[in-house]
Amino acid sequence: MGRNFGRPVRRLEDGRFIQGNGRFVDDVILPRQTYAAFVRSPYAHARITGLDAAPALQMPGVVRVMTAADLAGAPDMPCGWMIHSRDGAEMKVGSRPLLASDTVRYVGEPVAVVVAESRDQARDAAEAVAVDYDELPVVVDCGDAMAPGMPQLHPAISDNLAYDWELGDEAAVDAALAVAAHRVELTLRNNRLIPNAMEPRACNADWDAQDEKLTVWMTHQNPFGMRTLYSAYYGLAAEHSLRIVSPDVGGGFGAKAPNYPEEVVVAFAAKLVRRPVKWTADRTEAFLTDAHGRDHLTTATLGLDAEGRFLALKVDTIANMGGYLSTTGSLIPTYMYGTMLSGQYVIPAIHCRTRAVYTNTCPVDAYRGAGRPEAAYVVERIVNVAARAIGVDQAEIRRRNFIRDFPYQTPVLFEYDSGDYEGSLNQALALSDYAGFPARKAEAAARGKLRGIGVAAYVEACGIGPSAILAKLGGGAGMWDSAEVRVNPVGTVEVLSGAHSHGQGHATTLAQLVADRFGVPIESIRIVQGDTDRIQAGTGTYGSRASVGMSATFNACEKIIAKGRRICAHLLQVPEDSVRFADGVFASAATNKTIPFGEMAAAAHAANAFPTREIEPGLVESSFFDPPNFTYPSGVYVAEVEIDPLTGVTEVAAFSAADDFGIIANPMIVEGQIHGGLTQGIGQALWEECRYDPDTAQLITASYLDYGMPRADGLPEFRLAFGCAPSPSNPLGMKGCGEAGAIGSPPAVINAICDALAIDHLDMPARPEKVWRLLHPKAAG
Amino acid sequence: MYDLAYVRPGGLAEATALLEADENATALAGGQTLLPVLRARLASPSRLVDVARLAELKGMALDGDRVVIGAAETHAAVSQSPVVAGAIPALGRLAGGIGDPQVRNRGTLGGAIANNDPAACYPSAALALDAVIRTTRREIAAADFFTDLFSTALEPGELVTAVMFPRCAQAAYVKFPNPASRFALIGVFAARTAAGMRIAVTGAGAGVFRWREAELRIDAGGGVADLDDLALPEDAFTSDLHGSADYRMHLARVMTGRAIAAVDA
Amino acid sequence: MTVALRVNGEDVRIDVTDRTLLIHALRDHLRLTGAHMGCDTSQCGACTVLVDGVAVKSCAMLAGQADGCEVVTIEGLARDGALHPMQAAFAEHHGLQCGFCTPGMIMLGIDLVRRRGAADEATVRSELAGNLCRCTGYQNIVKAIAAGARDMAGAA
């Protein structure tokens, strides 16, 4: 721990947010601004038989109406991760145009866009675009999609099956299951979620015809990725003439990482109308079209020996892709999911089969955890079913099966880097007073309440890399990150970071790192992110990968210090290898003179005290860090619930989380990440559920009146503890903490509910009526 | 929101004239329901007649055995009123539990009554307490006022000006909130009135109603435990994604028991 | 129509269409972009401002309805460079992550103190019924508002 690094330093970026000076995309109004409104399909599956924009063109303030015909040269939207089926065939990608031209496949799919002088005028005119549809039958449930006779979404893709993928040794699993002393089976659903970052998607595109330069302000997690796509794939402008600016981003959670049609269409529109075009989604559009999360139907079988040790796990999952494959939609239920099915346990044989299917629903992509929550939910649920079946305590069965030696090669591709799973379990049991639970249960029973306790242990993979391995798995982009550290003549520091904060506090944590490394005040450091014209390169932030960008920053700092030592050797007239740097001061045993960091910076720029043929003037260094392996954060969570048997209402009475994120940059910020992740996971377990009407595929949870968002009053005060098994995969020993809370909490809560009700399973969310019906099976209806 | 005209008349007579002159005009009070509806383009009135600041629609005072509350009084004002707290404490608490603080700062009694959302809180109190709704044209008993979901006895151009609630010290409102919207999935207002126990149920789906069988059972000396076998009007309950009719009926029993227990506490 | 407002202590007149919401008048006409639009159904509270001293959702109010009123937005809280105690509490207690809901949370917190004084955490949680946050899990927002309320009570 340094003066800053490792401490709960208050956030440097807060000043602008708490005074209303944050800069979000919708805050930007450009000269000659126009506004876009999309015409969207009201049907989930239909043929477009006619489209008449003429009435809209007569409306006040309308500048332009664009349809698929105006985008005739533009390619279909790409899926960025190639998955191969078990038979070796490439996944089948349904054609997804930017604007639908002949068929629509989910409610809200964009069909046309109106550009007008004001937001209201654009919206008025969008209603006047006349589109004729011939409705087609729909399929909603992933469990139905492959059944005979179901509506087929894409031509030449039979049974709506995008791919049939597998991982692991099926024969070994079957053999182990055949001789296992105990076998338990579980069928479960992982409920579809709607991400709901509080800032809706927004963009503002500006075409400078003179310079042939396109600037797109876009609320996004990966501005450089979008620049590459917009330039190389869509051909909107040459890469060096395309600027993506993602200023303050109001939450992402994965849903601001994909490539969406609306932003691309707005960029084309700006070129067409030669005026800036702005689009800000309203919340209804966010519900309808932001990539949804989860939506799996899974059957799992776990085999155990007579002592309760795990022998084999077999998992068969159907994953709902929605109407099209989103940018990384194919990756989530495969390499982000099957690879995590070993959990924290020694399971000698594991097999995962995933069939990804198209349905008439919004495309599904990454949402906080992205595959890893689905895996943890399967493992942690079936472990509790097994514990119940063989009469072993849920903490004890985990203890009996923990991985204890690292690195650990799982049967499903990944090699875990480090961990202390039993340490986290012990922490969590102490934090939750696990031993005192029977007394609390009895006390609750005296009040007429059913109390239950649930343990869940998760491990996840963060800091995705290295690029070469990922390419072998189907990845289409490098997964390094980049930083440039600029030390100015008076010793202030700018860090140009290719990571991108959307609430994670990089402006503080990166500054903590650099301040301590250089021994300078944290106030003298500024972190720059989110502007492809200012930053050299980057891959953005998702999958809890800030450790990658932070490692690049660290390495760039090391280069600065190395150069500083060379410069100071000349200034001090001592051998270079005698120069040491500590606490902001260069010193040498060969002299009493010392040089503070700032003076070295001044000398580097003055360039008059060292030979500039040997040492270049200036003090700017960059680093690209390609991690040698993922990092593997882990933790053990204990949820305690209390159920009112009269109403079925579940209250989370207590929640304890013991996490291991390796080295932590700022415990205050990490705790905040856990609070948020736990809340999203509790939301999934208790309230959140994206529901489509099964007959029409209309989204029936399309507002906060119908989609159960967590609010302040339904949550306990979280108790947190941290262990520390540093990751060897990066120079800082960090692991990543952004998604953990959302991964471990759903199984912890459901395990607690099942404990309270003394049942094997109930599907999320545990809505009051569902729980009430379990308790009163004879009730009418 | 579709294009429309906004007008703020200076007095009640002017407001009434504006509303009577244009059948597509709509009165706007706090707007906490109406404005989201307009934003969703679910309605397209030609004109909004803002009545929120009309002095004629303000005031909370005792009038004999009744509390008279102006239609434009906000939920926040009702919840903080010493007059209301003294005469019908349960009504103040009900008002303090509607929506959220910002909605309570703008939303009005008259707007809630006139909108008659089947999940609204106020109609249950009006019905249980035998309130009288005063309009620009007449006085209407609550029992005659709430005709169907989202509809009332109000005629075109007729405005609620005040609601008169008989005093009642022994009353309670218990709400089971919809976890998403926080509207009442079921809300029960129970009151011991001079005429006996009154129980009004909101949130069931088809509009607020009195559970007369339960009232009679309690008046006959029954206790909360005696309600389990009592029939509820099945056609009052509907199913939606938040709860089946069966579950709502069950909740109505449970919340009735809790409301009566709170009345007698 | 012309709407006259007193916004953060300054008298302003703006020309808007009749259907203009207060949030759009503030953001687009007065360029006060601190209040945010986070939903269509007035559930999320990111647009919360004070109108005549009480917290309202500026997405559920027409600009015309605020004619003649005093409006205070998040931009109007700090005085002479000094943060309002509720603002300072959010920074001190890490009550924000992405910052989008924060202005609404702070304005609601101030309204809460007006009505409830130095409220305890349970009260704060129930008072946040109309403000959504997706980042923080609310725990530090609740602590920030409770602390801000104590500081405001102490300063009064």
Side-chain angles (χ1 to χ4, degrees):
Chain A
M1 194 181 301
R3 259 185 307 182
N4 294 288
F5 197 77
R7 297 185 189 278
V9 174
R10 297 302 182 264
R11 297 208 317 175
L12 303 175
E13 58 267 68
D14 281 356
R16 67 178 184 274
F17 294 121
I18 60 178
Q19 297 181 78
N21 297 322
R23 199 178 200 214
F24 298 91
V25 169
D26 188 61
D27 300 345
V28 176
I29 298 178
L30 298 171
R32 304 180 68 238
Q33 183 75 64
T34 67
Y35 297 85
F38 282 87
V39 179
R40 298 183 180 280
S41 171
Y43 300 109
H45 200 192
R47 296 243 180 281
I48 298 172
T49 57
L51 191 156
D52 184 8
L57 288 166
Q58 305 305 314
M59 304 277 289
V62 172
V63 175
R64 175 94 199 197
V65 179
M66 275 173 72
T67 67
D70 297 293
L71 296 167
D76 285 348
M77 299 187 67
C79 177
W81 206 286
M82 172 53 68
I83 297 296
H84 289 83
S85 285
R86 318 206 270 181
D87 62 5
E90 291 191 346
M91 68 185 184
K92 297 188 172 66
V93 183
S95 162
R96 184 187 190 188
L98 290 164
L99 292 173
S101 56
D102 57 69
T103 306
V104 289
R105 295 181 176 86
Y106 64 95
V107 171
E109 184 171 354
V111 174
V113 66
V114 175
V115 180
E117 299 290 344
S118 78
R119 187 189 300 106
D120 284 335
Q121 287 173 333
R123 189 63 70 90
D124 290 345
E127 286 193 11
V129 174
V131 187
D132 298 320
Y133 298 94
D134 269 357
E135 269 193 87
L136 297 167
V138 300
V139 56
V140 169
D141 191 317
C142 61
D144 299 335
M146 292 179 289
M150 292 310 285
Q152 302 291 299
L153 264 73
H154 294 282
I157 299 180
S158 51
D159 302 330
N160 296 313
L161 183 64
Y163 56 75
D164 181 354
W165 173 89
E166 69 174 341
L167 183 65
D169 184 340
E170 186 170 21
V173 168
D174 288 342
L177 288 176
V179 300
H182 306 283
R183 258 191 320 276
V184 288
E185 187 176 301
L186 176 64
T187 295
L188 55 78
R189 281 181 186 272
N190 201 294
N191 42 327
R192 179 183 280 239
L193 303 175
I194 302 178
N196 273 305
M198 292 316 300
E199 181 207 21
R201 278 193 291 135
C203 64
N204 196 346
D206 189 15
W207 171 247
D208 179 340
Q210 183 63 49
D211 289 349
E212 298 198 323
K213 173 149 186 172
L214 179 67
T215 301
V216 186
W217 279 264
M218 187 193 313
T219 178
H220 207 274
Q221 296 172 226
N222 185 3
F224 272 100
M226 291 306 103
R227 189 180 73 164
T228 305
L229 265 181
Y230 279 36
S231 147
Y233 187 80
Y234 293 111
L236 279 155
E239 203 164 18
H240 61 295
S241 297
L242 215 165
R243 178 186 180 197
I244 305 279
V245 189
S246 297
D248 288 326
V249 172
F253 312 111
K256 286 179 184 166
N259 166 222
Y260 287 99
E262 289 87 354
E263 290 87 334
V264 182
V265 170
V266 164
F268 275 111
K271 287 181 73 176
L272 213 56
V273 304
R274 302 207 163 203
R275 289 174 63 183
V277 182
K278 178 155 109 175
W279 169 70
T280 304
D282 62 26
R283 183 55 60 184
T284 305
E285 289 180 291
F287 271 101
L288 287 171
T289 68
D290 285 5
H292 293 173
R294 320 285 192 249
D295 202 347
H296 285 193
L297 173 59
T298 295
T299 297
T301 310
L302 179 68
L304 303 89
D305 70 12
E307 283 76 47
R309 289 192 182 78
F310 305 150
L311 299 174
L313 174 65
K314 185 164 188 167
V315 173
D316 189 342
T317 292
I318 302 172
N320 197 336
M321 296 285 99
Y324 304 95
L325 291 183
S326 182
T327 315
T328 57
S330 56
L331 168 68
I332 312 302
T334 51
Y335 291 108
M336 301 302 284
Y337 169 72
T339 49
M340 298 311 308
L341 286 170
S342 197
Q344 295 193 350
Y345 314 110
V346 175
I347 308 178
I350 299 173
H351 180 260
C352 177
R353 178 188 190 189
T354 299
R355 282 168 288 176
V357 296
Y358 293 104
T359 65
N360 294 109
T361 60
C362 176
V364 175
D365 206 321
Y367 170 63
R368 201 169 197 167
R372 291 152 290 172
E374 295 91 315
Y377 188 64
V378 170
V379 173
E380 293 306 291
R381 281 273 49 249
I382 200 165
V383 163
N384 267 40
V385 172
R388 186 161 184 259
I390 64 175
V392 176
D393 173 78
Q394 55 181 324
E396 171 57 24
I397 195 171
R398 288 176 167 81
R399 199 185 294 277
R400 237 175 249 185
N401 286 280
F402 278 146
I403 294 163
R404 290 159 201 278
D405 298 318
F406 296 89
Y408 175 80
Q409 177 64 55
T410 72
V412 276
L413 213 60
F414 283 175
E415 184 185 88
Y416 295 170
D417 56 353
S418 67
D420 177 8
Y421 301 154
E422 187 160 26
S424 292
L425 176 69
N426 291 337
Q427 265 185 324
L429 297 183
L431 206 56
S432 62
D433 183 24
Y434 191 75
F437 174 73
R440 294 193 294 279
K441 186 178 176 73
E443 185 274 333
R447 287 183 284 109
K449 299 290 176 66
L450 304 170
R451 200 165 172 113
I453 194 162
V455 178
Y458 77 90
V459 58
E460 60 154 332
C462 296
I464 181 169
S467 303
I469 300 288
L470 298 172
K472 284 182 190 157
L473 304 182
M479 284 291 171
W480 42 264
D481 216 321
S482 138
E484 181 172 299
V485 175
R486 297 181 181 172
V487 184
N488 298 316
V490 292
T492 59
V493 183
E494 288 168 272
V495 178
L496 282 64
S497 163
H500 186 44
S501 182
H502 35 283
Q504 296 91 338
H506 294 177
T508 304
T509 50
L510 288 173
Q512 288 176 262
L513 172 72
V514 176
D516 282 6
R517 203 62 204 99
F518 291 162
V520 298
I522 197 166
E523 295 75 21
S524 66
I525 293 159
R526 181 176 291 277
I527 309 299
V528 182
Q529 293 186 324
D531 183 344
T532 63
D533 263 14
R534 287 212 63 193
I535 294 148
Q536 62 293 340
T539 56
T541 294
Y542 37 84
S544 308
R545 62 181 281 103
S547 65
V548 182
M550 195 166 263
S551 296
T553 305
F554 176 82
N555 288 347
C557 289
E558 294 308 295
K559 290 184 185 177
I560 293 280
I561 291 166
K563 182 168 182 178
R565 290 176 57 230
R566 294 171 68 203
I567 290 171
C568 287
H570 286 280
L571 298 181
L572 296 169
Q573 296 182 316
V574 298
E576 186 189 325
D577 60 9
S578 77
V579 179
R580 299 283 173 268
F581 179 68
D583 299 327
V585 176
F586 292 90
S588 166
T591 174
N592 287 332
K593 284 201 292 184
T594 60
I595 300 175
F597 182 81
E599 275 183 35
M600 181 277 292
H605 287 85
N608 54 19
F610 54 86
T612 53
R613 284 188 189 177
E614 285 175 32
I615 304 172
E616 289 180 5
L619 204 51
V620 177
E621 297 287 355
S622 69
S623 172
F624 284 64
F625 181 72
D626 194 38
N629 187 5
F630 291 79
T631 65
Y632 294 89
S634 61
V636 177
Y637 293 171
V638 179
E640 211 162 309
V641 301
E642 213 165 274
I643 294 170
D644 178 350
L646 284 177
T647 60
V649 169
T650 300
E651 181 199 352
V652 179
F655 201 105
S656 303
D659 290 289
D660 171 12
F661 301 130
I663 302 295
I664 285 173
N666 184 324
M668 175 191 82
I669 285 175
V670 170
E671 286 172 11
Q673 288 290 314
I674 297 308
H675 295 162
L678 293 178
T679 298
Q680 279 171 293
I682 291 170
Q684 171 168 29
L686 295 184
W687 309 297
E688 294 186 41
E689 183 178 34
C690 169
R691 288 170 75 177
Y692 284 92
D693 183 285
D695 299 322
T696 62
Q698 292 290 331
L699 182 64
I700 52 179
T701 53
S703 82
Y704 292 138
L705 296 168
D706 293 320
Y707 186 85
M709 286 282 279
R711 302 194 194 207
D713 64 354
L715 300 160
E717 177 156 342
F718 302 118
R719 302 175 205 158
L720 310 184
F722 297 100
C724 182
S727 170
S729 300
N730 59 68
L732 295 164
M734 308 177 82
K735 287 185 169 174
C737 65
E739 296 156 296
I743 296 171
S745 54
V749 172
I750 297 298
N751 284 350
I753 292 172
C754 291
D755 180 59
L757 300 176
I759 58 172
D760 270 344
H761 183 67
L762 91 167
D763 275 329
M764 300 186 287
R767 290 185 295 114
E769 179 169 1
K770 197 185 286 181
V771 173
W772 174 72
R773 283 191 183 282
L774 280 168
L775 288 165
H776 303 89
K778 289 185 186 145
Chain B
M1 191 180 310
Y2 292 107
D3 203 10
L4 47 70
Y6 166 84
V7 57
R8 192 161 76 211
L12 184 58
E14 189 189 343
T16 307
L18 284 163
L19 289 167
E20 286 176 348
D22 180 353
E23 62 178 18
N24 293 319
T26 298
L28 171 67
Q32 298 306 286
T33 301
L34 182 56
L35 282 167
V37 165
L38 296 178
R39 287 182 59 196
R41 295 182 175 236
L42 297 173
S44 54
S46 56
R47 177 181 294 231
L48 296 177
V49 180
D50 186 352
V51 300
R53 298 193 207 178
L54 295 179
E56 296 97 321
L57 307 186
K58 298 279 191 180
M60 289 179 276
L62 277 179
D63 174 14
D65 256 3
R66 305 189 298 192
V67 185
V68 182
I69 304 177
E73 290 294 347
T74 63
H75 309 324
V78 173
S79 75
Q80 290 156 13
S81 161
V83 174
V84 174
I88 319 171
L91 186 65
R93 285 196 290 271
L94 174 149
I98 296 172
D100 55 54
Q102 297 96 316
V103 165
R104 293 194 286 274
N105 284 339
R106 291 287 304 162
T108 66
L109 170 61
I113 294 282
N115 188 50
N116 191 21
D117 187 307
C121 298
Y122 263 133
S124 66
L127 196 60
L129 294 172
D130 271 336
V132 173
I133 289 93
R134 182 185 289 160
T135 78
T136 44
R137 296 177 192 170
R138 55 193 166 140
E139 293 188 350
I140 310 171
D144 302 323
F145 183 83
F146 303 109
T147 52
D148 205 345
L149 64 164
F150 293 113
S151 51
T152 66
L154 289 172
E155 294 162 355
E158 184 177 16
L159 261 184
V160 175
T161 58
V163 182
M164 297 172 283
F165 291 94
R167 291 179 82 122
C168 181
Q170 284 183 283
Y173 179 66
V174 176
K175 174 161 68 172
F176 184 92
N178 171 333
S181 69
R182 304 300 172 97
F183 273 89
L185 194 63
I186 283 291
V188 174
F189 196 99
R192 285 195 187 278
T193 71
M197 176 60 79
R198 293 302 185 84
I199 295 163
V201 180
T202 187
V208 65
F209 69 91
R210 270 175 59 191
W211 188 12
R212 290 175 193 274
E213 292 82 352
E215 293 174 356
L216 291 171
R217 182 69 60 92
I218 298 293
D219 286 345
V224 169
D226 300 321
L227 304 178
D228 287 351
D229 61 326
L230 273 185
L232 275 154
E234 285 196 16
D235 53 358
F237 290 83
T238 58
S239 296
D240 62 21
L241 80 154
H242 301 295
S244 68
D246 293 332
Y247 182 58
R248 282 185 157 95
M249 289 174 84
H250 169 73
L251 285 180
R253 291 179 203 281
V254 175
M255 295 304 129
T256 297
R258 289 179 184 179
I260 292 170
V263 168
D264 295 336
Chain C
M1 65 185 293
T2 300
V3 173
L5 303 167
R6 188 171 177 82
V7 181
N8 299 333
E10 218 171 290
D11 290 317
V12 296
R13 296 176 74 81
I14 49 174
D15 286 317
V16 297
T17 60
D18 285 24
R19 58 173 155 168
T20 301
L21 296 168
L22 178 59
I23 177 86
H24 288 136
L26 294 170
R27 287 178 56 80
D28 296 350
H29 294 262
L30 297 172
R31 306 300 294 127
L32 293 167
T33 55
H36 298 134
M37 179 91 102
C39 75
D40 319 333
T41 52
S42 75
Q43 300 272 303
C44 84
C47 62
T48 301
V49 300
L50 304 182
V51 174
D52 287 345
V54 308
V56 306
K57 292 179 174 174
S58 61
C59 78
M61 185 170 187
L62 294 171
Q65 287 176 287
D67 184 45
C69 293
E70 170 136 25
V71 178
V72 177
T73 71
I74 187 77
E75 291 92 340
L77 292 183
R79 291 260 180 270
D80 304 323
L83 294 176
H84 185 284
M86 192 60 76
Q87 291 174 310
F90 269 72
E92 176 58 26
H93 294 275
H94 190 33
L96 63 150
Q97 290 181 26
C98 81
F100 192 81
C101 75
T102 310
M105 292 285 180
I106 290 173
M107 301 314 282
L108 187 277
I110 290 168
D111 188 67
L112 187 158
V113 175
R114 172 183 67 82
R115 290 176 289 110
R116 309 289 294 264
D120 61 15
E121 291 193 7
T123 303
V124 174
R125 282 185 184 272
S126 73
E127 287 279 326
L128 284 175
N131 289 75
L132 294 177
C133 168
R134 195 56 154 169
C135 294
T136 64
Y138 302 99
Q139 185 154 319
N140 288 346
I141 290 176
V142 171
K143 289 197 186 313
I145 292 178
R150 283 194 300 275
D151 294 345
M152 284 173 69

